Amino acid sequence: MKSKLLRRLLPDLLATLLLIVLPLLVFWQVWAPNPADRVLFGGDILMGAYPTRVFVHRMFEAGMVPLWNPYQLGGMPLLGDVQVAAYYLPNLVLDWAFRGSEVSFLGFELLVIAHYAMGGLFFYAYLRGLGVIPAAALIGAIGFEFNGFFIGHRGHYSMLAVVVWLPAVLFLLDRSWHALRPTRAIAWAVLAGLPLSQLVMAGHPQATLYCAITIVAYAGFRWVGDLRRPASGNWQRLRVPALFILTGVLAATIAGIALLPAAEVLSRSRRGEPSFSFAVQHSLMPRNLITLLIPEFLNWSATEYRIYAGILTLALAATAWLVPDHGRPERRFFTVAAVAALVVALGGFTTVEGLAYRFIPGLSSVRVSARAFYIANVSLCVLAAFGAESLLQGLREGERARLQSLVRGLGFMLAGALVFAAIGYALLIGNYRPVGEEFYFAESLFNREPSADTYTLLTQTANAYVLFLVFLALTIGLLWAHSAGRLGGRSLAIALATVMFLDVATFAPYHDTIKADPDTARFTVREYTATMLDAPWKIADQEELIAAAAGLPDGVRIDNSAEVLPDNYSQVYRTAFATGYNVLDMQERFVLQTEWPYLSDAVRRDLLNVGYILTLPDTPDPPEEGATVVLENSQGTLWQRATQPSYARFSTSLRPAETLITLNGLLNRPGIGVGQQPAVTMDDGTLHATLRQLWPEALDEQLYVIGTTGIRSPVDLSVLAGGPIKYSAVIVDGVTVTPEQRGIVYALIDPVSGAVLNTGSFDTYQSSAESDLLAAMLNTAPVGTIVALATYDEGITNLNAAARTALADFGAAENLEGQIGAAYGLIGVKGSMAGTALEQIGQEPLTLDVGVGALQPQPEANVTTRMLTYQPDRISLLVQNDVRGLLMINETVFPGWQAYVDGLPAPTLRAEGLLRAVILAPTLEGRPHEVTFVYQPLSARLGGAISLVGLALAVGMLVAMAVAEVPRLAWLPQRRPSLALPRPEPAVGEG
């Protein structure tokens, strides 16, 4: 009995072993014992995924929850950064394996390799679940294990980690839908939720979206199949959607710890407001379709465009449709999926992308549509397995004839390719020149680093083309031998598996790898390119720079915009950088730092508490006036700024403002430093309620009186007349209501309700007619209407008499005639006497305020601060202040940062659009406030609770289903049978 079971399981066991071993063999140089043979995985693994995992691992080792990263871009959510995948199960296994020590780069590389094995095993299981014979399932799994997407995106670890789970989900869903008993169906559906949760938690939303759409479509395909068959009841009709919903709900709840923080970050990141031009970036170009056959053709198989599936894969996929009399029903689904994936991958090159962008949820937020071709790779491998099965199970006469026709067609293709090869070879020979001995190493032959030289690039392409001819000839030979009856059975299976492996794995080891030993290698990353340091003294100089940077005080940041040190390794060095690249960077910070009106370098650095600047070596001039050299060597120069910014700032005045472009304009004013009169807001819109409770002086009624009119504004009003920065704005209750246009911008305010009645702009510099339109608008405003307007030099240079007269009716008195190059601002009331408005004109940018912004600063304030604690998710300071005011710290504000003053919760304000702030009452001498900021995001707490509930539900349901499957008497205590012998019957005549 045991031997029969072993014989039955042996093919599956051998296939499993082979699929585990093959990635280790293909990537043998990763774990080679000889350091000279070693390579390391490049791309995002080297530049982002590995250093981030090291940081998360350190936090786990310290008993901390990985919530916040203070070392990147001035502070970023860590758990909410989906690509961090803090609680993704394989990542946690890696952390467990390296408990008590640092995660090594080799360990992380082996984790990546393990995902190749996982993908192959899951794919094999799915095919076997469909009933595909072991040999055919193995052939398809090998093709899947090294498909073009897996090879091209190996550097994108989070993407690879998502997509390997797709076949596991399909396998378990199929088991659920085809289970005969409802209890077993529910159990399989619950089990399907586990890999689906990992697919979600692995950390790449775009790959997750493509997989989710595929899973939903697959469920629809199965449901339609159920509906077309005679059903015995509602369960048969509804089991597919019901079980699918159960799987999805469980997966979503288990992934709550990742989903909720990620949703919070995505809504506030640069990805929060995408555009169609963003969505069609890096579409699969039609020319790239040739790389389905020749993966290194003219270097068109860069990471995002690597779609190679294998010559044998394509031939077997065609076999699945052309040869068998009766193919598997799933081939229809996967053929449609492959075509749909191709159309989506082509992106902006088809009209379909626009419709998908408009109507399919989620597609508007992703770019690089070429990645959708992964679904085509999956589909082609499934079809290839079906085709291999049709060959291995023997051919009927009609099937053999169709196979022979396919062989002839492929033969014609080979003949044409050989003619083209001969022509190309002749052209190359006619222009022959030496390419250098180093060209003949494998890394050049297989295009690890494509040459910029045209002749060498064509020679590299010729190498790839010859391999295409070889694999096409091998494919034709195998199919011909089988059609002629000369090859079949086990020999055919071994031959197909061998050719499949050689075909798809030949280019695999060389894409996106770097010849270096990670134990000793050091590198720089500039413009997304890693360059190895090739001398020990260069490595020593880099380590000297790292040590100097790591020794800076807590909270002080470095401007590393010159990319002297690898940005994402700041978290490994424990050195805070104010610069870097992250597609999930906060929208507020990105706009303030990069968009017009452009901030000066000094202001940008002050905002993020930059005290030091790194520049490239041999940079003769200081990056900022007065900067002094701290350390200079071959790898760069560390400069100290002449004026060190204050980590904690205290202000006795403030201004409500939240519109980002206006914040840039306010910060651009000459002589107005960060925090002198900070623009403040609160994310929950409770600024006035907070001021009323904690700073009532800021809401004094006299602050709302407009000039000397005696009339109070019902709302906070501010105007910014931009001067040299050529930007002006009117701010009502913190929100900019005027357009981003030149000329005079204005807003008319209802004096009772504070509602904005009208807003716009007039380009009075362009023509006198614009001045007339301005005058007409002002003249028609009802008496008592409040006007706020602002402009820079062009706005009043050509202002005509009609417009000046209309302004006087709002209390204006400044002589604007002949003014050139001046900024002008006005807040007045219709029908007021001339000279009663709040009005100013000058050569520098200026602001006028009514309301909170009119609170005058107290120049004699005495404030001292001292840092107590600086941890990723907790910062504490002692603050001695003799007046009421606003304390700001140079750390990024984000929902979840809670302020505590002397142990009591206090509202957290957003200052200068970016910084954390809190209102402090005056202290007694010698009794300073203890101010603590703690990161306690509701999204993480709620998400963690939901995940625990989801796991508990999954375990509980599995236990309940297992109990239901066991007969009651099999687990209840049973009475032991009596051992007493039966009494003999009495003999005749007895008794």
Side-chain angles (χ1 to χ4, degrees):
M1 185 70 177
K2 291 183 178 179
S3 61
K4 289 183 179 179
L5 178 63
L6 181 61
R7 282 197 300 271
R8 185 167 61 86
L9 295 179
L10 185 60
D12 291 325
L13 293 175
L14 291 176
T16 298
L17 179 62
L18 189 61
L19 292 171
I20 293 173
V21 170
L22 285 181
L24 291 171
L25 295 178
V26 169
F27 301 113
W28 68 270
Q29 285 183 286
V30 166
W31 52 271
N34 183 0
D37 294 331
R38 291 287 306 278
V39 300
L40 53 85
F41 289 159
D44 283 2
I45 290 176
L46 179 66
M47 291 182 268
Y50 171 68
T52 302
R53 197 65 214 175
V54 169
F55 178 55
V56 172
H57 178 72
R58 287 176 179 174
M59 296 190 76
F60 281 142
E61 288 287 293
M64 302 173 66
V65 178
L67 295 174
W68 188 263
N69 182 359
Y71 299 113
Q72 186 183 48
L73 287 168
M76 284 280 296
L78 185 61
L79 185 61
D81 185 344
V82 288
Q83 297 193 44
V84 171
Y87 289 98
Y88 174 55
L89 182 58
N91 288 349
L92 294 178
V93 172
L94 180 73
D95 291 326
W96 177 83
F98 283 89
R99 61 194 182 281
S101 62
E102 289 275 36
V103 174
S104 69
F105 193 79
L106 174 60
F108 199 88
E109 288 177 307
L110 292 175
L111 175 66
V112 175
I113 293 173
H115 278 78
Y116 281 83
M118 289 163 54
L121 292 173
F122 293 155
F123 194 81
Y124 180 83
Y126 170 68
L127 291 173
R128 293 290 288 129
L130 293 180
V132 176
I133 62 175
L138 176 63
I139 292 166
I142 292 173
F144 177 78
E145 200 166 50
F146 302 102
N147 71 77
F149 187 93
F150 277 19
I151 301 305
H153 290 281
R154 182 177 56 244
H156 294 149
Y157 166 65
S158 61
M159 205 179 302
L160 178 66
V162 168
V163 297
V164 297
W165 296 96
L166 175 60
V169 176
L170 298 183
F171 164 66
L172 293 170
L173 283 174
D174 265 346
R175 294 300 297 264
S176 171
W177 294 329
H178 295 145
L180 298 178
R181 299 182 185 176
T183 52
R184 293 185 178 181
I186 293 172
W188 284 114
V190 171
L191 288 173
L194 301 179
L196 182 56
S197 70
Q198 295 309 296
L199 185 150
V200 173
M201 297 174 70
H204 199 278
Q206 181 181 18
T208 300
L209 176 65
Y210 290 148
C211 290
I213 292 174
T214 304
I215 293 169
V216 171
Y218 190 74
F221 166 75
R222 289 299 193 199
W223 192 20
V224 170
D226 262 12
L227 294 177
R228 294 176 64 180
R229 287 190 291 268
S232 57
N234 290 333
W235 168 249
Q236 295 297 323
R237 292 183 177 277
L238 300 177
R239 63 178 180 174
V240 169
L243 294 169
F244 178 69
I245 291 172
L246 172 61
T247 297
V249 170
L250 274 177
T253 55
I254 294 171
I257 186 64
L259 285 175
L260 292 188
E264 187 174 52
V265 171
L266 285 170
S267 67
R268 293 175 171 270
S269 74
R270 294 168 55 191
R271 291 290 180 92
E273 297 179 3
S275 62
F276 182 67
S277 59
F278 172 88
V280 297
Q281 289 179 10
H282 303 293
S283 299
L284 181 68
M285 291 177 283
R287 72 175 191 183
N288 290 104
L289 294 177
I290 196 173
T291 61
L292 266 174
L293 305 174
I294 310 170
E296 303 298 345
F297 190 85
L298 294 179
N299 190 34
W300 290 353
S301 287
T303 292
E304 300 293 0
Y305 308 113
R306 197 171 189 91
I307 61 175
Y308 186 66
I311 304 301
L312 182 57
T313 301
L314 296 174
L316 290 176
T319 300
W321 272 103
L322 300 178
V323 173
D325 290 330
H326 304 287
R328 289 183 170 274
E330 291 83 7
R331 67 179 181 174
R332 293 193 297 272
F333 172 80
F334 285 105
T335 301
V336 173
V339 174
L342 173 61
V343 172
V344 173
L346 289 170
F349 292 98
T350 71
T351 57
V352 176
E353 177 68 13
L355 297 175
Y357 171 85
R358 177 65 180 84
F359 295 109
I360 299 181
L363 286 185
S364 62
S365 298
V366 299
R367 65 187 183 102
V368 195
S369 59
R371 295 169 180 169
F373 200 84
Y374 164 71
I375 304 303
N377 281 131
V378 174
S379 302
L380 289 171
C381 291
V382 173
L383 294 173
F386 293 167
E389 182 181 46
S390 69
L391 298 178
L392 293 171
Q393 288 184 326
L395 298 175
R396 299 182 179 89
E397 192 60 35
E399 292 175 332
R400 188 177 303 278
R402 290 192 292 273
L403 179 59
Q404 290 171 345
S405 298
L406 175 61
V407 170
R408 285 193 294 271
L410 292 174
F412 287 130
M413 179 180 176
L414 177 61
L418 287 170
V419 172
F420 183 80
I423 296 172
Y425 184 74
L427 291 174
L428 278 177
I429 291 297
N431 295 276
Y432 172 78
R433 62 178 174 79
V435 292
E437 182 180 352
E438 69 281 357
F439 177 79
Y440 297 99
F441 290 102
E443 51 263 37
S444 296
L445 289 173
F446 298 120
N447 207 8
R448 176 184 289 159
E449 294 182 2
S451 174
D453 175 74
T454 302
Y455 178 79
T456 306
L457 179 62
L458 290 174
T459 308
Q460 290 174 328
T461 300
N463 293 325
Y465 191 82
V466 169
L467 285 175
F468 155 67
L469 295 176
V470 169
F471 288 123
L472 180 58
L474 285 173
T475 298
I476 293 172
L478 289 176
L479 297 181
W480 172 82
H482 184 59
S483 67
R486 301 189 180 188
L487 186 65
R490 185 176 300 174
S491 299
L492 176 62
I494 294 173
L496 288 173
T498 302
V499 173
M500 176 67 80
F501 172 70
L502 294 175
D503 188 357
V504 296
T506 294
F507 296 92
Y510 304 101
H511 181 79
D512 214 357
T513 57
I514 301 172
K515 187 76 171 178
D517 180 6
D519 293 336
T520 58
R522 299 295 182 270
F523 55 91
T524 61
V525 178
R526 291 174 191 145
E527 296 182 358
Y528 204 67
T529 301
T531 303
M532 294 294 115
L533 299 181
D534 55 5
W537 55 273
K538 292 182 180 180
I539 295 175
D541 282 353
Q542 186 188 66
E543 291 178 346
E544 185 181 27
L545 271 180
I546 293 169
L552 299 181
D554 290 335
V556 176
R557 294 192 175 85
I558 296 174
D559 183 343
N560 186 46
S561 54
E563 297 182 296
V564 175
L565 296 175
D567 268 318
N568 286 328
Y569 279 77
S570 60
Q571 52 205 332
V572 178
Y573 307 147
R574 296 184 175 94
T575 299
F577 286 177
T579 48
Y581 173 76
N582 190 320
V583 295
L584 296 179
D585 189 11
M586 298 301 98
Q587 181 72 13
E588 297 92 344
R589 177 168 47 219
F590 180 75
V591 171
L592 286 172
Q593 296 283 306
T594 64
E595 296 190 3
W596 178 87
Y598 303 113
L599 299 180
S600 67
D601 288 340
V603 172
R604 287 191 298 106
R605 289 165 182 156
D606 286 346
L607 264 176
L608 296 177
N609 204 46
V610 171
Y612 295 81
I613 305 168
L614 280 168
T615 60
L616 294 172
D618 303 323
T619 302
D621 299 325
E624 196 173 280
E625 185 177 353
T628 56
V629 174
V630 175
L631 176 64
E632 183 176 13
N633 59 34
S634 66
Q635 295 306 296
T637 304
L638 180 64
W639 302 79
Q640 182 177 6
R641 296 180 68 194
T643 303
Q644 291 291 294
S646 299
Y647 178 77
R649 295 182 172 90
F650 194 86
S651 175
T652 56
S653 64
L654 67 165
R655 173 185 291 112
E658 61 183 68
T659 306
L660 293 176
I661 186 173
T662 304
L663 296 180
N664 272 28
L666 291 168
L667 289 167
N668 250 312
R669 293 169 297 160
I672 306 296
V674 173
Q676 286 190 10
Q677 188 185 13
V680 298
T681 186
M682 294 185 69
D683 292 343
D684 59 3
T686 60
L687 178 61
H688 271 218
T690 300
L691 292 174
R692 188 172 296 109
Q693 179 184 4
L694 301 177
W695 201 345
E697 300 92 335
L699 297 176
D700 188 280
E701 291 186 357
Q702 289 304 310
L703 300 177
Y704 287 84
V705 176
I706 300 172
T708 58
T709 63
I711 297 175
R712 288 196 297 269
S713 169
V715 290
D716 292 310
L717 291 175
S718 297
V719 298
L720 166 65
I725 62 173
K726 302 194 182 308
Y727 171 76
S728 297
V730 174
I731 310 166
V732 179
D733 275 344
V735 179
T736 299
V737 297
T738 47
E740 300 171 22
Q741 295 177 6
R742 74 176 201 170
I744 294 179
V745 296
Y746 71 92
L748 296 180
I749 314 296
D750 187 288
V752 177
S753 67
V756 178
L757 302 174
N758 191 7
T759 182
S761 68
F762 294 98
D763 192 354
T764 53
Y765 179 81
Q766 183 179 13
S767 68
S768 180
E770 288 286 298
S771 291
D772 291 336
L773 291 173
L774 171 62
M777 184 274 299
L778 294 175
N779 290 332
T780 56
V783 172
T785 301
I786 301 171
V787 69
L789 60 82
T791 187
Y792 50 89
D793 56 347
E794 292 181 345
I796 58 175
T797 299
N798 295 333
L799 200 64
N800 63 20
R804 293 195 297 271
T805 301
L807 288 174
D809 198 25
F810 282 82
E814 291 284 356
N815 181 12
L816 303 182
E817 189 173 2
Q819 295 282 359
I820 298 176
Y824 175 69
L826 170 74
I827 302 177
V829 180
K830 178 68 175 288
S832 299
M833 295 179 57
T836 59
L838 186 61
E839 183 184 26
Q840 189 176 346
I841 189 169
Q843 296 299 311
E844 296 291 339
L846 58 88
T847 55
L848 299 175
D849 295 285
V850 170
V852 173
L855 180 67
Q856 294 300 305
Q858 300 184 37
E860 303 301 324
N862 184 20
V863 182
T864 59
T865 62
R866 180 167 65 89
M867 181 84 72
L868 290 178
T869 305
Y870 190 87
Q871 296 175 350
D873 57 359
R874 176 182 291 269
I875 296 171
S876 297
L877 306 94
L878 286 180
V879 183
Q880 183 77 54
N881 55 296
D882 61 354
V883 296
R884 192 183 307 273
L886 186 77
L887 175 74
M888 294 168 291
I889 63 171
N890 280 58
E891 299 283 350
T892 305
V893 68
F894 192 79
W897 276 103
Q898 174 63 56
Y900 293 87
V901 178
D902 300 326
L904 299 177
T908 303
L909 288 78
R910 179 184 295 271
E912 306 292 29
L914 190 63
L915 308 178
R916 297 172 214 160
V918 65
I919 297 171
L920 296 182
T923 60
L924 298 175
E925 184 64 31
R927 299 184 63 181
H929 288 301
E930 182 175 339
V931 180
T932 303
F933 291 91
V934 182
Y935 189 47
Q936 301 171 318
L938 177 62
S939 60
R941 287 179 285 143
L942 183 59
I946 291 174
S947 290
L948 291 176
V949 170
L951 285 171
L953 282 174
V955 172
M957 293 180 71
L958 288 174
V959 171
M961 296 304 106
V963 169
E965 282 294 303
V966 178
R968 189 170 186 270
L969 292 181
W971 59 277
L972 285 176
Q974 300 181 29
R975 293 181 58 185
R976 299 182 64 181
S978 173
L979 298 179
L981 296 175
R983 294 177 63 183
E985 295 182 6
V988 177
E990 286 188 8

